Amino acid sequence: MDPPQNFKDKVVTVAGASRGVGLATAKFVLLRGASVSISSSSAANIAKARAQILEEIPNCDDRLLDFACDITKLDQVEAWISETIKRFGRIDCCANVAGKEQRHIAPLTTLSLEHWREIIDVNMTGMFHLLREELKVVSNGGSIVNVGSVNSKYASFGQGAYIASKHGLMGLTKAAAFEGAPKGIRVNAINPGGIRTEMTAKPFVLPDGGQFNASGDTLPQLIRRMAEPEEIASSICYLLSDEGKFVTKAIWYIDGGFMESNFTA
């Protein structure tokens, strides 16, 4: 059975679409009729994602735009949004999936300014750039979904930059919901738990040089497995679609029943 065409005639942007949840989100809406503009900071990665999409979803070339965009650079975000509108005429929905993990666990007392700024630049400033430009152009009645993390609510030892950035993103989401409301633009956030992706397969480096591998066995969650990217994408797309048209300023946890635990100490 073909998927329902509930995104037919919609134009959707997906930031951070080269792999994982972003790529799954792009495929989800393409299969349901959308025209989609995908971006990633790496030109090679986004070209690879485009090729994979076209292999899996034939005949969608005219509904797919790929663009190399470093979201920490406002001019690149402006260029991506402008090119999307030039190609498709408008933007109806935005999935802001881009983000950067803090793979090196370090207490605040030894966390370098370089690593702090690297995380904050992507997860806060980059998301601000996206929202800044999206709120100017998204169609009346449109929808924006930001992707945070269970660390938007919880905390653990040695991830101060990441935790601060993801907590901050929730405040930014709520502020954007107020500002989008006069045009009927809904702004929500979802916070995933552990996801089976290329990124999460890499170990965290602990202060003593040891490693921590995130898995269904090591993460403190009730569902003892990692989520598939498609499971997270489906929640994003519910909020993007008209099926979620009475939901705004919401923060949803799609985390398998994650429980706060100092598992990295």
Side-chain angles (χ1 to χ4, degrees):
M1 177 182 288
D2 292 333
Q5 298 298 289
N6 54 331
F7 281 92
K8 184 174 174 56
D9 299 326
K10 299 281 190 183
V11 178
V12 181
T13 65
V14 185
S18 64
R19 53 195 170 192
V21 172
L23 180 56
T25 300
K27 293 176 183 177
F28 191 106
V29 292
L30 275 166
L31 285 167
R32 288 157 178 79
S35 296
V36 184
S37 178
I38 58 174
S39 76
S40 168
S41 59
S42 165
N45 286 348
I46 202 65
K48 183 179 177 181
R50 178 189 179 89
Q52 182 180 333
I53 290 170
L54 293 178
E55 181 178 352
E56 294 182 19
I57 310 173
N59 305 318
C60 74
D61 186 63
D62 62 332
R63 295 188 287 117
L64 181 63
L65 170 69
D66 62 289
F67 199 92
C69 174
D70 179 350
I71 65 170
T72 69
K73 306 290 193 297
L74 179 59
D75 61 335
Q76 293 189 28
V77 173
E78 291 172 333
W80 175 43
I81 296 299
S82 177
E83 186 63 24
T84 300
I85 293 173
K86 180 180 178 182
R87 170 73 178 272
F88 296 123
R90 67 185 190 283
I91 295 172
D92 301 303
C93 308
C94 303
N96 297 327
V97 189
K100 189 172 187 64
E101 285 196 313
Q102 185 177 337
R103 306 306 296 183
H104 285 76
I105 306 302
L108 293 173
T109 52
T110 61
L111 179 65
S112 72
L113 285 175
E114 178 185 3
H115 284 144
W116 168 268
R117 288 170 178 151
E118 188 178 336
I119 298 294
I120 297 298
D121 278 355
V122 175
N123 294 349
M124 276 295 294
T125 305
M127 285 293 198
F128 160 68
H129 289 160
L130 290 168
L131 287 167
R132 181 183 189 271
E133 298 310 306
E134 291 163 356
L135 286 168
K136 294 176 183 178
V137 300
V138 168
S139 304
N140 287 13
S143 179
I144 299 171
V145 176
N146 298 324
V147 176
S149 161
V150 289
N151 279 313
S152 298
K153 176 181 180 181
Y154 298 114
S156 61
F157 173 88
Q159 288 191 299
Y162 186 75
I163 290 162
S165 71
K166 293 300 185 178
H167 274 64
L169 178 58
M170 297 305 101
L172 195 59
T173 298
K174 293 174 185 178
F178 275 99
E179 296 185 20
K183 290 176 61 180
I185 298 171
R186 297 179 293 107
V187 186
N188 295 289
I190 67 130
N191 291 321
I195 312 168
R196 191 177 65 83
T197 66
E198 179 182 329
M199 180 186 295
T200 57
K202 298 176 182 177
F204 291 90
V205 180
L206 302 174
D208 63 2
Q211 295 185 341
F212 173 85
N213 291 92
S215 72
D217 294 325
T218 59
L219 290 178
Q221 57 191 44
L222 297 176
I223 297 177
R224 307 302 294 169
R225 66 172 175 83
M226 303 288 269
E228 296 299 324
E230 293 76 15
E231 293 175 302
I232 308 302
S234 64
S235 295
I236 293 171
C237 293
Y238 173 83
L239 290 170
L240 289 179
S241 75
D242 290 341
E243 292 170 325
K245 63 185 178 182
F246 199 62
V247 185
T248 194
K249 202 172 67 63
I251 296 172
W252 287 6
Y253 291 85
I254 317 298
D255 60 10
F258 196 92
M259 300 169 288
E260 185 161 26
S261 173
N262 195 19
F263 59 91
T264 57

